């Protein structure tokens, strides 16, 4: 069971990192588009999309940590950290 717990925690860490990198990549692409002056509306949508991905990522990761704690038999699973640090 400990091995499964480690795998679950490792996967949550990977997902957290990937979600952070995804939002950052959207913001970089938005900055590139903005810098070229090609499509300011698209750039704005990408920035908003990065924010939305952070928010939804925080929600899903909160649930993932909750279920990971439950699978480990932690009775205070609801007290797990609520938000991932995706930066702003």
């Amino acid at each position: 069971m400990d091995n499964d717990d480690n795998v679950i925690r490792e996967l949550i860490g990977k997902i957290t990192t990937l979600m952070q990198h995804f939002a950052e990549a959207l913001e970089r692409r938005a900055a590139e588009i903005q810098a070229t002056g090609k499509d300011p509306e698209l750039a704005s949508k990408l920035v908003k999309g990065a924010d939305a991905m952070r928010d939804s990522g925080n929600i899903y990761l909160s649930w993932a940590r909750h279920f990971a704690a439950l699978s480990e038999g932690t009775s205070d699973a609801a007290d797990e950290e609520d938000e991932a640090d995706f930066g702003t």
Side-chain angles (χ1 to χ4, degrees):
M1 202 57 126
D2 289 333
N3 189 38
D4 286 338
D5 293 341
N6 291 337
V7 168
I8 290 170
R9 291 293 174 177
E10 183 180 319
L11 289 170
I12 290 172
K14 287 179 181 180
I15 293 167
T16 301
T17 300
L18 290 170
M19 291 298 294
Q20 180 177 0
H21 290 309
F22 180 75
E24 291 168 354
L26 284 179
E27 290 173 331
R28 282 192 306 273
R29 183 64 182 128
E32 290 171 7
I33 292 169
Q34 188 73 28
T36 63
K38 287 184 179 178
D39 192 346
E41 186 176 335
L42 175 59
S44 177
K45 286 180 182 179
L46 291 177
V47 169
K48 289 177 185 175
D51 288 340
M53 292 305 298
R54 277 190 192 94
D55 290 345
S56 62
N58 284 332
I59 292 167
Y60 284 107
L61 286 166
S62 178
W63 278 106
R65 283 190 293 273
H66 171 77
F67 288 117
L70 285 176
S71 75
E72 294 169 357
T74 305
S75 62
D76 60 339
D79 293 336
E80 287 288 303
E81 182 180 326
D82 287 337
E83 292 192 12
D85 184 14
F86 291 141
T88 53

